[in-house]
Short mmCIF file of all heavy atoms in Angstrom, two decimals:
data_model
loop_
_atom_site.label_atom_id
_atom_site.label_comp_id
_atom_site.label_asym_id
_atom_site.label_seq_id
_atom_site.Cartn_x
_atom_site.Cartn_y
_atom_site.Cartn_z
N ALA N 20 56.21 -22.10 102.45
CA ALA N 20 56.95 -23.31 102.72
C ALA N 20 57.39 -23.32 104.23
O ALA N 20 57.51 -22.27 104.80
CB ALA N 20 58.07 -23.48 101.78
N ARG N 21 57.70 -24.47 104.70
CA ARG N 21 58.25 -24.65 106.03
C ARG N 21 59.85 -24.73 105.95
O ARG N 21 60.51 -24.34 106.89
CB ARG N 21 57.58 -25.89 106.75
CG ARG N 21 57.73 -25.85 108.24
CD ARG N 21 56.94 -27.02 108.84
NE ARG N 21 57.33 -28.29 108.20
CZ ARG N 21 57.21 -29.45 108.86
NH1 ARG N 21 56.83 -29.46 110.10
NH2 ARG N 21 57.58 -30.55 108.18
N ASP N 22 60.27 -25.39 104.99
CA ASP N 22 61.73 -25.63 104.78
C ASP N 22 62.38 -24.29 104.50
O ASP N 22 62.18 -23.70 103.46
CB ASP N 22 61.95 -26.63 103.59
CG ASP N 22 63.42 -26.90 103.40
OD1 ASP N 22 64.29 -26.30 104.12
OD2 ASP N 22 63.77 -27.74 102.50
N PRO N 23 63.33 -23.83 105.39
CA PRO N 23 63.99 -22.60 105.11
C PRO N 23 64.87 -22.47 103.87
O PRO N 23 65.15 -21.42 103.45
CB PRO N 23 64.78 -22.29 106.42
CG PRO N 23 64.99 -23.68 106.96
CD PRO N 23 63.75 -24.44 106.63
N ALA N 24 65.24 -23.67 103.36
CA ALA N 24 66.08 -23.78 102.20
C ALA N 24 65.31 -23.71 100.88
O ALA N 24 65.92 -23.44 99.84
CB ALA N 24 66.96 -25.01 102.28
N PHE N 25 63.97 -23.89 100.98
CA PHE N 25 63.19 -23.98 99.73
C PHE N 25 62.91 -22.54 99.21
O PHE N 25 62.47 -21.69 99.92
CB PHE N 25 61.90 -24.71 100.01
CG PHE N 25 61.08 -24.81 98.71
CD1 PHE N 25 61.37 -25.66 97.69
CD2 PHE N 25 59.98 -23.93 98.61
CE1 PHE N 25 60.54 -25.71 96.56
CE2 PHE N 25 59.13 -24.04 97.45
CZ PHE N 25 59.52 -24.93 96.48
N VAL N 26 63.24 -22.36 97.92
CA VAL N 26 62.88 -21.02 97.32
C VAL N 26 62.18 -21.34 95.97
O VAL N 26 62.56 -22.24 95.21
CB VAL N 26 64.25 -20.32 96.97
CG1 VAL N 26 63.92 -19.01 96.17
CG2 VAL N 26 65.04 -19.95 98.20
N TYR N 27 61.14 -20.62 95.80
CA TYR N 27 60.30 -20.73 94.50
C TYR N 27 60.67 -19.59 93.60
O TYR N 27 60.57 -18.43 93.96
CB TYR N 27 58.83 -20.81 94.79
CG TYR N 27 58.04 -20.80 93.52
CD1 TYR N 27 57.81 -22.00 92.87
CD2 TYR N 27 57.59 -19.64 92.93
CE1 TYR N 27 57.15 -22.06 91.68
CE2 TYR N 27 56.88 -19.74 91.74
CZ TYR N 27 56.68 -20.91 91.09
OH TYR N 27 56.00 -20.87 89.91
N ALA N 28 61.00 -19.92 92.32
CA ALA N 28 61.31 -18.90 91.37
C ALA N 28 60.57 -19.24 90.03
O ALA N 28 60.31 -18.25 89.26
CB ALA N 28 62.78 -18.73 91.20
N GLN N 29 60.33 -20.46 89.79
CA GLN N 29 59.67 -20.91 88.58
C GLN N 29 58.96 -22.23 88.77
O GLN N 29 59.27 -22.93 89.82
CB GLN N 29 60.71 -21.07 87.48
CG GLN N 29 61.82 -22.10 87.81
CD GLN N 29 62.90 -22.17 86.81
OE1 GLN N 29 62.83 -21.63 85.66
NE2 GLN N 29 64.02 -22.81 87.17
N PRO N 30 58.02 -22.55 87.93
CA PRO N 30 57.17 -23.80 88.10
C PRO N 30 58.00 -25.05 88.31
O PRO N 30 57.66 -25.92 89.08
CB PRO N 30 56.33 -23.80 86.90
CG PRO N 30 56.19 -22.43 86.47
CD PRO N 30 57.41 -21.76 86.79
N ALA N 31 59.17 -25.07 87.63
CA ALA N 31 59.95 -26.35 87.67
C ALA N 31 60.49 -26.59 89.13
O ALA N 31 60.84 -27.73 89.49
CB ALA N 31 61.20 -26.17 86.81
N ASP N 32 60.51 -25.53 89.98
CA ASP N 32 60.88 -25.71 91.34
C ASP N 32 59.97 -26.54 92.21
O ASP N 32 60.31 -26.97 93.37
CB ASP N 32 61.11 -24.26 92.00
CG ASP N 32 62.18 -23.51 91.45
OD1 ASP N 32 63.13 -24.04 90.85
OD2 ASP N 32 62.04 -22.27 91.43
N LEU N 33 58.74 -26.85 91.67
CA LEU N 33 57.74 -27.59 92.33
C LEU N 33 57.79 -29.08 91.94
O LEU N 33 57.01 -29.81 92.38
CB LEU N 33 56.37 -27.01 92.03
CG LEU N 33 56.05 -25.62 92.57
CD1 LEU N 33 54.75 -25.10 92.21
CD2 LEU N 33 56.30 -25.54 94.12
N SER N 34 58.76 -29.40 91.12
CA SER N 34 58.93 -30.84 90.71
C SER N 34 59.26 -31.60 91.91
O SER N 34 60.18 -31.33 92.71
CB SER N 34 59.99 -30.98 89.60
OG SER N 34 60.18 -32.29 89.26
N GLY N 35 58.60 -32.74 92.13
CA GLY N 35 58.79 -33.57 93.28
C GLY N 35 58.16 -33.05 94.58
O GLY N 35 58.46 -33.64 95.67
N VAL N 36 57.47 -31.92 94.56
CA VAL N 36 56.95 -31.33 95.69
C VAL N 36 55.41 -31.61 95.89
O VAL N 36 54.74 -31.62 94.87
CB VAL N 36 57.19 -29.75 95.66
CG1 VAL N 36 56.58 -29.04 96.91
CG2 VAL N 36 58.65 -29.41 95.59
N THR N 37 55.05 -31.81 97.12
CA THR N 37 53.59 -31.86 97.48
C THR N 37 53.10 -30.50 97.60
O THR N 37 53.54 -29.69 98.53
CB THR N 37 53.30 -32.75 98.72
OG1 THR N 37 53.88 -33.96 98.59
CG2 THR N 37 51.90 -32.77 98.99
N VAL N 38 52.12 -30.06 96.76
CA VAL N 38 51.63 -28.71 96.77
C VAL N 38 50.20 -28.74 97.21
O VAL N 38 49.30 -29.36 96.62
CB VAL N 38 51.74 -28.02 95.36
CG1 VAL N 38 51.20 -26.60 95.45
CG2 VAL N 38 53.17 -28.05 94.92
N ALA N 39 49.96 -28.04 98.35
CA ALA N 39 48.55 -27.98 98.80
C ALA N 39 47.90 -26.64 98.53
O ALA N 39 48.64 -25.58 98.54
CB ALA N 39 48.59 -28.16 100.45
N THR N 40 46.63 -26.64 98.31
CA THR N 40 45.90 -25.42 98.05
C THR N 40 44.45 -25.62 98.35
O THR N 40 43.98 -26.75 98.66
CB THR N 40 46.06 -25.02 96.48
OG1 THR N 40 45.50 -23.71 96.36
CG2 THR N 40 45.28 -25.87 95.63
N TYR N 41 43.66 -24.50 98.35
CA TYR N 41 42.22 -24.52 98.72
C TYR N 41 41.42 -24.58 97.45
O TYR N 41 41.75 -23.87 96.48
CB TYR N 41 41.96 -23.32 99.61
CG TYR N 41 40.51 -22.85 99.46
CD1 TYR N 41 39.37 -23.69 99.88
CD2 TYR N 41 40.21 -21.58 98.95
CE1 TYR N 41 38.09 -23.15 99.81
CE2 TYR N 41 38.88 -21.13 98.85
CZ TYR N 41 37.87 -21.95 99.19
OH TYR N 41 36.61 -21.50 99.18
N GLY N 42 40.40 -25.35 97.43
CA GLY N 42 39.54 -25.40 96.20
C GLY N 42 38.10 -25.96 96.45
O GLY N 42 37.93 -26.48 97.55
N PRO N 43 37.23 -25.75 95.53
CA PRO N 43 37.55 -25.15 94.22
C PRO N 43 37.76 -23.64 94.31
O PRO N 43 37.03 -22.95 94.97
CB PRO N 43 36.23 -25.43 93.40
CG PRO N 43 35.18 -25.55 94.41
CD PRO N 43 35.76 -26.11 95.66
N SER N 44 38.68 -23.13 93.62
CA SER N 44 39.03 -21.74 93.65
C SER N 44 39.89 -21.36 92.33
O SER N 44 40.29 -22.34 91.59
CB SER N 44 39.82 -21.39 94.87
OG SER N 44 41.09 -22.08 94.84
N ALA N 45 40.14 -20.18 92.12
CA ALA N 45 40.91 -19.76 90.93
C ALA N 45 42.28 -20.32 91.04
O ALA N 45 42.92 -20.73 90.14
CB ALA N 45 40.94 -18.20 90.86
N VAL N 46 42.89 -20.22 92.33
CA VAL N 46 44.22 -20.72 92.47
C VAL N 46 44.32 -22.24 92.33
O VAL N 46 45.30 -22.80 91.86
CB VAL N 46 44.83 -20.21 93.82
CG1 VAL N 46 44.12 -20.89 94.95
CG2 VAL N 46 46.34 -20.57 93.83
N SER N 47 43.28 -23.02 92.78
CA SER N 47 43.36 -24.45 92.70
C SER N 47 43.28 -24.82 91.21
O SER N 47 43.95 -25.80 90.84
CB SER N 47 42.19 -25.09 93.43
OG SER N 47 41.01 -24.82 92.88
N LYS N 48 42.50 -24.09 90.42
CA LYS N 48 42.52 -24.40 88.99
C LYS N 48 43.84 -24.21 88.34
O LYS N 48 44.35 -24.97 87.47
CB LYS N 48 41.43 -23.63 88.31
CG LYS N 48 41.17 -23.94 86.80
CD LYS N 48 40.19 -23.10 86.16
CE LYS N 48 39.82 -23.59 84.76
NZ LYS N 48 41.10 -23.77 83.93
N GLU N 49 44.49 -23.11 88.75
CA GLU N 49 45.85 -22.76 88.26
C GLU N 49 46.80 -24.00 88.64
O GLU N 49 47.54 -24.42 87.75
CB GLU N 49 46.39 -21.48 88.90
CG GLU N 49 45.68 -20.25 88.44
CD GLU N 49 46.44 -19.53 87.35
OE1 GLU N 49 47.60 -19.97 87.09
OE2 GLU N 49 45.87 -18.53 86.82
N ILE N 50 46.81 -24.34 89.78
CA ILE N 50 47.72 -25.41 90.33
C ILE N 50 47.37 -26.76 89.68
O ILE N 50 48.25 -27.51 89.43
CB ILE N 50 47.73 -25.55 91.87
CG1 ILE N 50 48.14 -24.06 92.41
CG2 ILE N 50 48.75 -26.46 92.31
CD1 ILE N 50 49.39 -23.51 91.88
#
């Protein structure tokens, strides 16, 4: 993340967040 205040601890923390990833890949399938 770029925002210094953002902390990830659980999937619910990504609610309302734009999440970017590379795909197709194992991680993109997960996300």
